[in-house]
Amino acid sequence: MSNQFDVAVIGAGAAGMMCAAVAGQRGKRVVLIEHASKLAEKIRISGGGRCNFTNLHATPQNFLSQNPHFCKSALSRYTPQDFLGLMKRYRIAYHEKHKGQLFCDNSAEDIIQMLKAECSAGNVAWRMPCKVEAIGKNGDVFRIETDAGEVLANSVVIATGGLSIPKIGATDFGFRIAAQFGLKLIEPRPALVPLTFDDAAWQRFASLSGISLEVEVETGEKKTRGHFREDLLFTHRGLSGPAILQISSYWKPGDALTLNLVPEVDIAEALIKDKGAIKKNLDNQLAQWLPARLVEGWLLANDLKPDMKIADMQDKQLRRLGESLNKWTIIPNGSEGYRKAEVTLGGVDTKGLSQQTMMATQVPGLHFIGEAVDVTGWLGGYNFQWAWASGTAAGLAV
Ligand code: FDA
C-alpha cells in the first residue's frame, strides 16, 4: 500500500468527502483520513435523519464571519443548483420543507452513500479509522504521522469540522494545526444552540415548557444585529426552537434578546381599544392571539389575575402588559454548549486563507475547509452548502 499521495484530506465529513471526490476525479492521488469508525455521523444525524442538505436561497448574507466577503467566491462557484445536479444524477429524492430548506425524502444515508460513490469514482484511498498524530512539513512535502504509519502528501486539506457534539468525534484538531502553522483563530463558541437562564429567574416561566409559537427575535446593534421571525420553544431550562438557534449565533454573553411574542398585533393598543366595547376577562382577550397555556403562565409571571376585566384595568397597566409581550427583553446566562450546538462559530481566521483555493497564504499546500473555517451559516441547510462549496473550491485547487 503506497503512502505517497498528491493530496491528504483529514476528516471524512461533508466537506472532506466532497473535496476528496473533486480532487480524485481530476486525477489527483488522494487519501482521505478519518479517525471515527462510523462515517459522516453529522450528516447522518442532521435534519432529524433526513439531512437538510442545502438551501435554495443561500447567499453570502446567510453566513457569519469576521470577513463577510470571504465566502462569496466559493459559494458563487458551487451553488445549491450544482449540488441538486449531483443529487439528480444519483436519483436521490428530496423535498422543500420551509424557506428553501431541502431535505432527503428517504434518509441522510443517501447523501453519505452518494459522497462515498463520488470518492470511489475518484479512486480515493481511505484510512479509517485512523488517528492523525502530527503533521509536519519538509520542503514541499507534508509528513502526516498516523497510528497506522506515515503518509506523505504535497497538499493537505484540513476538514476536521468544529467542536460541536464531541461524543460523535468532534475535535479541535483543525484549530491546533492552524496554530502550529501560524494561522490565527477567531475564538470559537457554540452556535445554533438553545439558550439558558438563571434558575431563579427562569422559575417564573418554567410552567411554559413545551409551548411553541412564531415570534420575532433580535439582538445586537447595527452591523452585528441579528433579526429573525421563526418558531420559539419554551423548555424547562430556557428557550429553544429555530428562532433561538438562529439568534444564538448573533448573541454575545451579557447581551439581551428582545422578543415579540405577537408580531402582528400591538397588544397594548388593541386592549385599550377594546376596553369600552368588551367585557371580557383578560385571559380570554389575550387567548385570541396566544396559546391559552402561555396566557395563563404569562399573567401569573406578571402578577396579573386571569379573570381581571380589561375594562377595569388602567391604560398604564395594559401598556406594561403589552410591552411585556411585544417587547420581552431577557438576558440569557449562557447556552447549552457544544453538547447541543449544531455548529461552531469562529474558527480559522479567513485573513490567512485564499478565498479562491482555501489555501493558507503563508503555507503553500495547506488548505482549510468546512466548519473549521470562520464561516458559519444560519440554520436551514446553509452549513452543508458551505461544506460542499468550500470542499469543491479546495478540491479544484489542490
Ligand atoms: P464534519 O463535522 O461534518 O466532519 C468532520 C470530520 O472530521 C468528522 O468525520 C470527524 O470525525 C473528523 N475528524 C475530527 N477530528 C479528526 C482528527 N483529528 N483526525 C481525523 N478525523 C477527524 N447543517 C446543515 O446545513 N443542515 C442540517 O440539517 C444540519 N443539521 C445538523 C444537526 C446536528 C445535530 C448537528 C450537530 C449539525 C448539523 N448541521 C447541519 C451542521 C453540519 O452538520 C456541519 O456544519 C457540517 O457537517 C460541517 O461539515 P465539515 O465536513 O466541516 O465537518
Side-chain angles (χ1 to χ4, degrees):
M1 191 163 64
S2 168
N3 73 336
Q4 296 194 19
F5 296 90
D6 298 320
V7 187
V9 180
I10 321 285
M17 281 204 278
M18 191 68 172
C19 176
V22 170
Q25 291 178 28
R26 286 174 52 234
K28 299 287 172 181
R29 291 169 308 151
V30 181
V31 62
L32 187 46
I33 306 175
E34 167 62 52
H35 73 161
S37 50
K38 274 176 106 182
L39 181 61
E41 272 295 271
K42 255 187 209 168
I43 300 181
R44 196 184 319 278
I45 63 171
S46 68
R50 289 225 161 90
C51 187
N52 177 195
F53 56 84
T54 192
N55 191 299
L56 286 174
H57 312 309
T59 71
Q61 280 72 49
N62 305 116
F63 294 83
L64 290 92
S65 171
Q66 292 288 307
N67 176 4
H69 302 293
F70 180 83
C71 61
K72 287 182 178 169
S73 171
L75 289 174
S76 68
R77 286 180 297 138
Y78 193 88
T79 66
Q81 291 304 329
D82 290 319
F83 195 76
L84 285 183
L86 190 58
M87 298 273 292
K88 280 176 192 148
R89 271 210 283 127
Y90 282 81
R91 297 177 196 278
I92 300 177
Y94 61 88
H95 59 278
E96 181 179 346
K97 216 174 186 178
H98 170 67
K99 298 186 176 173
Q101 301 168 5
L102 300 186
F103 288 76
C104 296
D105 282 358
N106 179 31
S107 138
E109 189 64 34
D110 289 348
I111 304 250
I112 300 174
Q113 291 311 320
M114 174 180 82
L115 293 169
K116 242 179 114 181
E118 282 291 286
C119 287
S120 299
N123 291 317
V124 172
W126 288 82
R127 299 280 189 280
M128 183 182 160
C130 175
K131 191 163 182 269
V132 177
E133 278 150 5
I135 301 181
K137 196 177 183 201
N138 274 4
D140 287 342
V141 176
F142 288 92
R143 291 181 172 278
I144 301 149
E145 309 295 337
T146 79
D147 58 5
E150 190 180 58
V151 170
L152 304 177
N154 301 324
S155 300
V156 167
V157 182
I158 305 293
T160 47
L163 302 174
S164 53
I165 326 275
K167 73 169 189 232
I168 58 165
T171 68
D172 65 352
F173 181 81
F175 302 157
R176 281 189 275 124
I177 295 298
Q180 178 194 331
F181 284 95
L183 281 99
K184 292 211 172 74
L185 263 196
I186 302 299
E187 199 185 336
R189 63 187 164 87
L192 299 185
V193 64
L195 297 174
T196 56
F197 297 85
D198 285 335
D199 282 351
W202 196 250
Q203 211 46 47
R204 300 192 292 150
F205 303 107
S207 67
L208 304 180
S209 174
I211 293 175
S212 169
L213 72 163
E214 192 182 65
V215 302
E216 275 181 5
V217 59
E218 60 183 51
T219 193
E221 279 166 21
K222 289 181 187 156
K223 268 190 163 177
T224 56
R225 182 172 172 270
H227 177 267
F228 293 93
R229 184 166 177 158
E230 290 273 9
D231 285 351
L232 168 79
L233 174 68
F234 285 86
T235 73
H236 64 284
R237 278 172 56 82
L239 294 174
S240 187
I244 294 303
L245 300 192
Q246 297 282 33
I247 208 72
S248 71
S249 301
Y250 291 80
W251 176 77
K252 289 195 280 318
D255 283 358
L257 302 181
T258 306
L259 291 116
N260 186 346
L261 301 185
V262 198
E264 305 296 347
V265 184
D266 181 331
I267 296 290
E269 287 306 313
L271 291 177
I272 291 168
K273 195 163 127 252
D274 287 348
K275 251 174 105 170
I278 299 174
K279 294 258 174 278
K280 262 192 191 168
N281 288 347
L282 185 56
D283 56 353
N284 290 336
Q285 195 65 7
L286 289 174
Q288 63 184 314
W289 304 301
L290 289 161
R293 194 152 72 81
L294 175 59
V295 171
E296 194 186 326
W298 201 260
L299 293 179
L300 272 177
N302 285 279
D303 298 324
L304 290 168
K305 292 202 182 76
D307 59 358
M308 287 170 98
K309 302 264 181 269
I310 54 168
D312 298 338
M313 292 175 73
Q314 294 174 352
D315 287 4
K316 184 166 85 179
Q317 241 180 331
L318 293 174
R319 285 222 163 77
R320 215 178 310 127
L321 174 61
E323 181 157 317
S324 78
L325 289 163
N326 286 131
K327 220 174 167 195
W328 182 30
T329 303
I330 187 159
I331 303 181
N333 72 352
S335 79
E336 295 276 3
Y338 289 116
R339 204 172 48 87
K340 289 273 178 74
E342 285 202 9
V343 286
T344 301
L345 198 70
V348 178
D349 189 349
T350 58
K351 272 201 200 100
L353 302 176
S354 151
Q355 54 182 297
Q356 271 80 35
T357 64
M358 311 300 295
M359 189 174 81
T361 41
Q362 302 299 317
V363 191
L366 180 63
H367 302 247
F368 291 84
I369 59 174
E371 204 182 307
V373 177
D374 171 35
V375 173
T376 308
W378 289 2
L379 184 77
Y382 302 98
N383 285 295
F384 279 131
Q385 186 56 34
W386 172 245
W388 318 136
S390 60
T392 301
L396 290 171
V398 284

